[in-house]
Amino acid sequence: MKQRLALLGSTGSIGRQTLDIVRRRPEEFEITTLTAGNQWEELARQALEFHPDSVVIANKQHYAPLCEALAKEPIKVYAGSEALEQVVGGGEVDTVVNALVGYAGMLPSLAAVKASKRLALANKESLVVAGEHIIREAAAHNVPILPIDSEHSAIFQCLAGESSAPRRVIITASGGPFLRTPAEELERVSVAQALAHPNWSMGAKITIDSSTLVNKGFEVIEARWLFGLRPEQIDVLVHPQSIVHSMVEFDDGAIKAQLGTPDMHLPIQYALRFPERGELGEERLDFAKCATLTFEKPDTERFPLLNTAYECLRRGGNSCCVMNGSNEVAVAAFLAGEIKYTDIARVIIGTLERAQFVAAPTIEEYAASNQESRAISSEIASRLRLK
Ligand code: NAD
Ligand code: MG
């Protein structure tokens, strides 16, 4: 029987690459749901190609044109973010692929595991915001969470077949476009410079997060929940070649790593076909052409937000949720040309100082905390706004 996928965020970078995998293996996969935030035309094109049962457009303004574009098809059309939570639980869905970006992915992840669906997870923000709840629900419903994030896929691949728990994991980071940029120049970097990632082609938000090391901080938090590790068991090393996707160290000193070219098709396919591998046809790693693999400690003076993420993880409660909401506002303000690159850290650190601490938040309290964090961050960002 085919594996039936609900693909959330199908018009994004991970969403489109997931459809590449489905396109190549029509005998294995079937799409039941496709969703997008705003890009209704692309969503309609995808629906005409993949014939899902339903589509969801999160922005209700695009509902009418989307309905019109699909009027001749037997496809149900829904609008609004609440619909995302409903479609993931549908009886015809086996696996939910969450390729949404930001806080918006959290409730659909939770709804998926509560409905006992396998969750192939790219949306790391789900675990940053509410990792404890999502992992608990997945365990209670006995459903796997299969990581798509390349570092976590690497760790997951290294752990396959091991019965011993890891002693430590080492998450690699490319270092982003500003790896060697002097601190005083960071104040002046442009949006275009920050969007020019050296090794990976990704959505705008994660590209900025990669350059500030917020992405790496979020990956530390993601690893904590996915693999049940303490913060001190998770290290980060800068590896500019992006060939070693992450490593696991065991008690006997053995270290396993997963290597490959930087291409998200591999972790996506691994998550969908686990525990099987399969032909991918992408470029293969040629060791002779990448003779030098280097590793160095991250510079937390120039990129303080990696440590901020560790601090939030140690403090627990709603701290990571506050950092996530604040980062979303700060990155959006930077991308809109409203604040300087280095203001992203000012917004986040300022917000964490002011937001109310909640020790054991409920899902409703996470929502309130996300709102509060965003409001404080918007206020700080507007004071920093470039004249
Ligand atoms: P993207 O911006 O390219 O795509 C995001 C998708 O989500 C789009 O389909 C968009 O329409 C939809 N969306 C955005 N906001 C929404 C909202 N409020 N409600 C409903 N839908 C919304 O992002 P991406 O680069 O594909 O990243 C997706 C997730 O995967 C992120 O959490 C990112 O951190 C993670 N990730 C991405 C990569 C990568 O290579 N792109 C690698 C590792 C992890
Ligand atoms: Mg990653």
Side-chain angles (χ1 to χ4, degrees), residues 124 149-151 215 219:
K124 66 192 82 186
D149 211 352
S150 58
E151 295 76 3
N215 181 53
E219 290 180 353

Side-chain angles (χ1 to χ4, degrees), residues 156-173:
F156 189 60
Q157 292 176 57
C158 291
L159 290 174
E162 294 285 348
S163 52
S164 305
R167 183 190 193 90
R168 180 171 76 112
V169 300
I170 302 159
I171 298 180
T172 52

Side-chain angles (χ1 to χ4, degrees), residues 27-355:
E27 69 295 348
E28 274 180 43
F29 301 112
E30 183 179 317
I31 295 283
T32 62
T33 299
L34 294 169
T35 88
N38 281 299
Q39 292 169 282
W40 66 270
E41 286 156 307
E42 172 73 10
L43 180 61
R45 267 194 299 277
Q46 291 178 344
L48 293 174
E49 178 181 354
F50 290 95
H51 311 291
D53 301 334
S54 62
V55 295
V56 180
I57 186 82
N59 184 340
K60 292 179 178 167
Q61 285 181 357
H62 306 306
Y63 178 67
L66 180 62
C67 284
E68 202 171 309
L70 297 175
K72 293 202 189 90
E73 306 298 316
I75 298 174
K76 296 187 226 57
V77 181
Y78 303 107
S81 46
E82 317 74 43
L84 290 174
E85 287 170 69
Q86 283 153 21
V87 290
V88 299
E92 66 293 350
V93 177
D94 299 314
T95 302
V96 174
V97 183
N98 188 341
L100 297 168
V101 63
Y103 181 91
M106 189 272 282
L107 289 174
S109 283
L110 192 62
V113 292
K114 279 187 163 178
S116 301
K117 308 297 181 187
R118 277 161 53 101
L119 177 61
L121 186 64
N123 179 260
K124 66 192 82 186
E125 295 92 342
S126 290
L127 295 179
V128 171
V129 172
E132 199 168 357
H133 287 254
I134 292 168
I135 294 296
R136 197 194 312 126
E137 290 294 339
H141 291 83
N142 201 20
V143 281
I145 299 182
L146 303 148
I148 287 181
D149 211 352
S150 58
E151 295 76 3
H152 304 75
S153 176
I155 294 169
F156 189 60
Q157 292 176 57
C158 291
L159 290 174
E162 294 285 348
S163 52
S164 305
R167 183 190 193 90
R168 180 171 76 112
V169 300
I170 302 159
I171 298 180
T172 52
S174 70
F178 306 131
L179 180 58
R180 310 280 175 230
T181 308
E184 59 281 7
E185 282 177 32
L186 285 178
E187 289 276 334
R188 295 189 299 272
V189 300
S190 68
V191 171
Q193 284 172 304
L195 283 176
H197 194 283
N199 305 338
W200 296 94
S201 160
M202 311 179 283
K205 190 233 175 208
I206 183 178
T207 305
I208 302 300
D209 289 352
S210 299
S211 76
T212 57
L213 292 196
V214 164
N215 181 53
K216 223 31 68 176
F218 284 179
E219 290 180 353
V220 168
I221 300 166
E222 185 184 8
R224 184 260 172 275
W225 295 116
L226 280 174
F227 306 112
L229 300 165
R230 296 186 305 278
E232 56 275 18
Q233 288 178 289
I234 310 168
D235 284 340
V236 171
L237 275 184
V238 172
H239 166 51
Q241 298 82 19
S242 295
I243 296 292
V244 175
H245 296 313
S246 278
M247 300 177 255
V248 177
E249 184 185 317
F250 295 91
D251 283 341
D252 57 3
I255 294 182
K256 284 167 82 175
Q258 187 256 327
L259 287 75
T261 54
D263 185 333
M264 291 305 294
H265 289 100
L266 191 152
I268 294 169
Q269 176 171 285
Y270 191 77
L272 295 182
R273 301 191 81 235
F274 176 77
E276 303 292 333
R277 293 184 182 270
E279 189 65 39
L280 247 182
E282 304 292 323
E283 190 193 345
R284 276 163 193 275
L285 180 60
D286 180 351
F287 265 100
K289 286 190 186 144
C290 64
T292 323
L293 299 179
T294 61
F295 301 90
E296 60 193 278
K297 281 199 173 311
D299 179 348
T300 52
E301 294 278 316
R302 280 182 307 138
F303 302 105
L305 292 168
L306 175 60
N307 280 345
T308 307
Y310 272 104
E311 282 159 27
C312 287
L313 189 52
R314 290 201 181 88
R315 209 180 309 151
N318 62 334
S319 306
C320 296
C321 172
V322 171
M323 180 173 177
N324 178 72
S326 177
N327 180 59
E328 286 184 26
V329 170
V331 170
F334 171 68
L335 285 172
E338 293 167 5
I339 61 171
K340 286 186 293 200
Y341 181 75
T342 40
D343 287 339
I344 295 174
R346 294 188 182 101
V347 170
I348 293 174
I349 290 163
T351 303
L352 281 163
E353 281 165 8
R354 281 172 50 190

